[in-house]
Amino acid sequence: MILLGRYRTEIMAAIMINAVRGPIIAVLMLSHSTCAPLWRGQAFAGIKSATIVRFVMMIALLIVPTIVSAQERDGKGVSHRVVILNAADPYLPAFLALDRGLREAITRAEHGVPAELYAETLDMFRFPRTLLTEYVIALLRKKYHDLKVDVIVAAGSIALDFAQRYRAEIWPGAVIVFHSVPVASLEKRGLDPHTIGVPVQLEFGQTLDLALRLRPTTRRIVVVAGIAEPDKGRLSLVRALLEHYAGKLEIQYLVGLTLAETIAAVGVLPSDVIVLYLTMFRDSDGVPLVPRDVLTQIAVVSRAPVFGVFETYLGHGIVAGSIASYAEQGRRAGELVARVLNGEDPAAIGIQAPATAHCIADWRQLRHWGIAESLLPADCEIRFKEITAWDRYSWQIFTALVVILAQTALIVALMLNHRRLRQTQTALQDEYGRRNQAETTAANLRGRLARFSREHSLGAMATSISHEINQPLIAIQNYAQALRRRLQNNIDDKPKLIELFEKIEEQAERAGAITQRVRSLVGTSDVRLLPVSLCLLVEEVIRMMEPETEHRKCRITFQPASDFPSTLADSLHVQLVLVNLLQNSMRSICSNERYDKRVSVDMDLINDREVQVSVTDWGHGVPPDRVADIFEPLYSGTSGGMGMGLAISQTIIDAHGGRLWHEPNPAGGAIFRFTLRRAGS
């Protein structure tokens, strides 16, 4: 239906062309067949020219529909056009709020093609409707003669009347979308399916109920309005409403006065009156006015509170009212425009529910008239409220006061004990100084003992390494003697001599590496985590401990696993931990001949991130009352020990991201376990 209304001229033209095209082509073909034999006779020349003309006409009839179709396709890229028709002054505060919401809704919506917005102002609030109608129609007809308008937005009843009356003449085929039209006036209008919109319900009744709720001692209601057409329309609604209050309250109308007379009349009203301000677009002298400006002047002189139903009155003198948002009305009308532009059928959209009004109050006016906020409905919106420090930070202030009172009580208690505390403070300062000195001395001793313990733990390792370094030295000596014999005997065997020199160099590098490892182990303090084979590392430590195991007549058992994963560790530091744990275990099992002279080293996978190493012995174990102390610095369970081995070992394992702990051996003895991270975890 929408497409038929907009493009009925083009559609009818296409139908007529296709209807006429067939018969004409048939006639031309028949004429051609009839005259074809004359091509061979004396009339060849004349008949030939006529046939050519007929042929050209036939081709033209075939091409014309194609051209029309192409033009229709090209026309699809043309923008939508929307005319915003305002009956009043376009700079009225109410229209500015409505227009802003309308335009934002249209521009935010997604259309297949862009929308062009045109604004037209009738300005019939300040001027009589019939004064300029003829000229306005002529102007609009000329402006939009060649423009295809899709939607007319009618702002108010007068604009809707104008759009309905002159749509076919000025904007043929356009859909009318209205807003700000009272619901009561719609019942008297015959709206066609292409006229839709969002009406407004002016809640004068709810506003009067709210006013009487806030001012229960009211004796009179004074209604203020102008004489313009919109003023009269709203006044008629209020008159019908106030008939229900007849006999209960006195009703007074300040209508048909000049602006000065209206202000003077309001200025002498008593305080037990409610002023209901409608609109005043013109006074009795015909002077155009802005209703909000009139309200501002009335509110200054009035000794009674003023109420109204329009959002733009808030902040300019009214106390409260049941008010619908202008921005919401404009937004909803804009959404209807967007739906029409997107191709929806206006008949399916229809007339929408009126914009919802709710209670809105001006906090400053409530305070001015001494009206308590508690009298307002629970859902009433309060605007322009000045938030005091107590309103914003009440619980913080209350908490601060409680804290201050508590502090005051505490200060009083402290002052009563001031003398005793002064003496105690002097004694504590002396004790604190001595303690700091003792802690400094203990820290220095712990550092020195840590180094001594590491050097002591390297004793067994150094014994083994001295045995290892002896092998490359003996090899160097043997190769050197063989080299000397060959040189003395003048044996000219250059390749053999080079081989002997290379072997001497290889053994020297081996001895140097062993020496460097010992120096690094003694002096290093940094932890360098690299992927290492834990099995090879344990086997190397066991080999280094062989001299001590032979001396103590004990043995270390270990079952390596070929597929055990690599571990992130610093080899030198982990070797030091194993040496320390093995030495402690060997001392334990050798302290009594009855103990099993065996120390077991085991490795297990805890999870996909950690491995566990266990050192188990069957000696005297750790007394239960000493378990909590064995990892403390300077604690030693054997005579001659410095008590730093386990503390240093725990520090090393912590630096590796693992954990070192003790467990009692159920068969007697002790088990020390520590964890390391798997490579790649």
Side-chain angles (χ1 to χ4, degrees):
M1 294 299 294
I2 297 175
L3 294 176
L4 182 60
R6 295 181 183 175
Y7 306 107
R8 59 178 180 272
T9 304
E10 292 83 350
I11 293 173
M12 293 301 297
I15 293 173
M16 293 180 64
I17 289 174
N18 282 281
V20 175
R21 180 177 59 180
I24 293 178
I25 293 175
V27 172
L28 290 175
M29 293 296 292
L30 181 61
S31 300
H32 179 268
S33 61
T34 304
C35 299
L38 298 178
W39 285 83
R40 302 180 185 88
Q42 297 178 353
F44 175 80
I47 299 301
K48 182 178 180 181
S49 60
T51 304
I52 291 174
V53 172
R54 292 187 181 95
F55 182 75
V56 170
M57 290 177 64
M58 183 172 61
I59 295 299
L61 287 173
L62 292 173
I63 293 175
V64 167
T66 305
I67 296 174
V68 172
S69 177
Q71 290 176 346
E72 289 177 356
R73 289 195 300 270
D74 294 339
K76 291 182 180 179
V78 178
S79 300
H80 292 306
R81 295 186 180 92
V82 178
V83 175
I84 302 174
L85 189 62
N86 179 23
D89 177 8
Y91 298 104
L92 285 175
F95 181 75
L96 291 175
L98 287 162
D99 191 61
R100 188 183 307 112
L102 174 75
R103 290 175 179 268
E104 288 179 356
I106 295 175
T107 55
R108 278 201 308 265
E110 296 183 359
H111 313 297
V113 292
E116 296 179 0
L117 303 183
Y118 298 83
E120 300 295 343
T121 302
L122 303 178
D123 204 6
M124 292 181 177
F125 282 15
R126 294 182 293 185
F127 301 97
R129 183 187 299 197
T130 58
L131 181 63
L132 301 174
T133 301
E134 179 181 351
Y135 303 101
V136 171
I137 294 171
L139 175 62
L140 295 179
R141 186 189 303 113
K142 188 174 185 63
K143 285 179 66 175
Y144 294 98
H145 178 68
D146 295 326
L147 291 180
K148 187 66 178 178
V149 175
D150 299 284
V151 178
I152 307 167
V153 179
S157 300
I158 296 178
L160 177 58
D161 292 339
F162 187 91
Q164 284 184 293
R165 182 172 301 177
Y166 301 107
R167 169 175 53 183
E169 181 179 352
I170 303 174
W171 304 287
V175 176
I176 298 177
V177 177
F178 65 83
H179 64 77
S180 303
V181 177
V183 175
S185 67
L186 292 179
E187 300 175 356
K188 305 174 184 178
R189 299 174 183 270
L191 300 180
D192 60 84
H194 286 74
T195 301
I196 61 176
V198 182
V200 63
Q201 181 71 48
L202 299 178
E203 298 292 352
F204 292 110
Q206 294 184 10
T207 301
L208 283 174
D209 292 341
L210 176 64
L212 295 174
R213 175 174 179 167
L214 300 181
R215 303 283 285 186
T217 59
T218 299
R219 296 290 179 267
R220 192 195 323 173
I221 299 176
V222 177
V223 181
V224 179
I227 64 168
E229 184 175 343
D231 304 333
K232 295 177 180 178
R234 284 148 194 163
L235 181 60
S236 63
L237 295 176
V238 173
R239 285 185 184 274
L241 176 67
L242 290 179
E243 292 179 0
H244 300 287
Y245 294 90
K248 301 178 183 178
L249 297 172
E250 181 183 350
I251 309 299
Q252 179 182 355
Y253 294 94
L254 297 180
V255 180
L257 304 176
T258 64
L259 176 60
E261 292 171 346
T262 301
I263 294 174
V266 171
V268 298
L269 293 175
S271 59
D272 61 348
V273 169
I274 288 176
V275 177
L276 180 60
Y277 178 69
L278 306 184
T279 55
M280 198 168 184
F281 286 100
R282 284 205 314 271
D283 63 2
S284 60
D285 288 342
V287 178
L289 302 169
V290 176
R292 192 176 71 178
D293 296 342
V294 175
L295 170 65
T296 303
Q297 299 179 58
I298 289 175
V300 170
V301 302
S302 177
R303 293 187 294 173
V306 183
F307 294 83
V309 298
F310 298 106
E311 187 179 21
T312 51
Y313 290 174
L314 288 166
H316 293 271
I318 67 168
V319 177
S322 184
I323 299 170
S325 169
Y326 282 126
E328 177 69 12
Q329 295 178 60
R331 181 189 64 78
R332 290 182 58 189
E335 291 174 352
L336 294 185
V337 174
R339 292 172 63 182
V340 172
L341 296 182
N342 285 331
E344 288 194 41
D345 184 5
I349 297 174
I351 308 300
Q352 304 296 299
T356 304
H358 64 283
C359 173
I360 306 178
D362 186 335
W363 180 84
R364 294 171 299 185
Q365 291 294 325
L366 292 175
R367 188 176 180 183
H368 173 71
W369 297 106
I371 300 174
E373 294 182 30
S374 59
L375 296 176
L376 294 170
D379 59 345
C380 189
E381 177 185 351
I382 301 177
R383 296 188 183 181
F384 315 113
K385 185 172 184 178
E386 297 176 5
I387 306 299
T388 63
W390 176 256
D391 293 332
R392 183 171 296 175
Y393 307 108
S394 56
W395 70 270
Q396 293 92 333
I397 295 174
F398 179 77
T399 303
L401 291 175
V402 172
V403 172
I404 291 172
L405 292 175
Q407 289 177 341
T408 303
L410 181 60
I411 290 172
V412 171
L414 290 174
M415 291 179 63
L416 296 176
N417 296 282
H418 181 66
R419 292 183 181 180
R420 185 179 62 185
L421 290 177
R422 181 183 296 175
Q423 297 175 354
T424 304
Q425 185 178 10
T426 302
L428 288 175
Q429 287 178 347
D430 295 341
E431 180 65 25
Y432 181 73
R434 290 192 295 270
R435 182 176 179 180
N436 279 344
Q437 184 177 2
E439 287 181 352
T440 302
T441 303
N444 293 333
L445 290 175
R446 281 197 300 270
R448 295 177 63 186
L449 285 175
R451 183 172 180 83
F452 291 157
S453 177
R454 183 159 56 177
E455 293 174 353
H456 178 71
S457 299
L458 288 172
M461 188 180 293
T463 301
S464 176
I465 292 176
S466 66
H467 175 70
E468 289 187 21
I469 203 171
N470 191 44
Q471 295 178 0
L473 292 177
I474 293 174
I476 291 172
Q477 183 180 6
N478 292 335
Y479 293 142
Q481 289 176 356
L483 183 63
R484 184 177 62 182
R485 286 195 300 270
R486 286 182 176 275
L487 292 175
Q488 287 176 349
N489 296 332
N490 294 322
I491 298 174
D492 189 9
D493 189 359
K494 186 175 181 180
K496 185 64 176 179
L497 295 177
I498 293 174
E499 181 184 354
L500 291 173
F501 277 118
E502 289 177 350
K503 290 183 177 181
I504 291 173
E505 183 180 2
E506 180 182 348
Q507 294 299 322
E509 290 178 353
R510 179 184 174 192
I514 295 172
T515 304
Q516 184 63 33
R517 186 179 63 186
V518 175
R519 293 179 60 188
S520 300
L521 186 59
V522 173
T524 187
S525 61
D526 297 332
V527 177
R528 294 173 297 175
L529 301 181
L530 299 172
V532 298
S533 173
L534 193 57
C535 294
L536 296 178
L537 189 146
V538 173
E539 290 176 342
E540 185 177 356
V541 171
I542 293 175
R543 284 197 302 273
M544 289 190 299
M545 297 293 292
E546 286 179 356
E548 186 166 354
T549 57
E550 293 176 359
H551 173 71
R552 294 182 180 273
K553 297 180 180 181
C554 60
R555 70 183 187 278
I556 301 174
T557 62
F558 173 63
Q559 294 295 332
S562 59
D563 58 346
F564 203 81
S566 300
T567 306
L568 285 177
D570 187 316
S571 300
L572 294 176
H573 287 76
V574 175
Q575 284 178 346
L576 178 59
V577 173
L578 285 170
V579 168
N580 188 281
L581 296 179
L582 290 172
Q583 282 184 337
N584 289 344
S585 295
M586 287 190 290
R587 290 193 194 100
S588 176
I589 61 177
C590 293
S591 63
N592 195 311
E593 292 297 329
R594 294 182 294 104
Y595 295 145
D596 186 354
K597 299 299 187 291
R598 176 168 56 94
V599 178
S600 174
V601 179
D602 302 293
M603 297 189 307
D604 300 291
L605 293 174
I606 299 178
N607 49 47
D608 58 351
R609 294 181 299 173
E610 291 181 307
V611 299
Q612 176 180 281
V613 180
S614 303
V615 178
T616 307
D617 66 70
W618 287 263
H620 57 70
V622 180
D625 58 337
R626 299 296 180 89
V627 172
D629 302 326
I630 58 176
F631 291 102
E632 294 294 328
L634 305 178
Y635 174 82
S636 176
T638 60
S639 59
M642 291 182 292
M644 294 298 294
L646 288 176
I648 293 175
S649 297
Q650 190 176 54
T651 302
I652 291 173
I653 297 302
D654 289 343
H656 281 67
R659 187 168 62 95
L660 171 63
W661 72 95
H662 160 268
E663 294 179 5
N665 188 349
I671 303 174
F672 284 88
R673 306 184 193 274
F674 64 88
T675 59
L676 297 172
R677 288 183 294 167
R678 292 177 57 175
S681 62

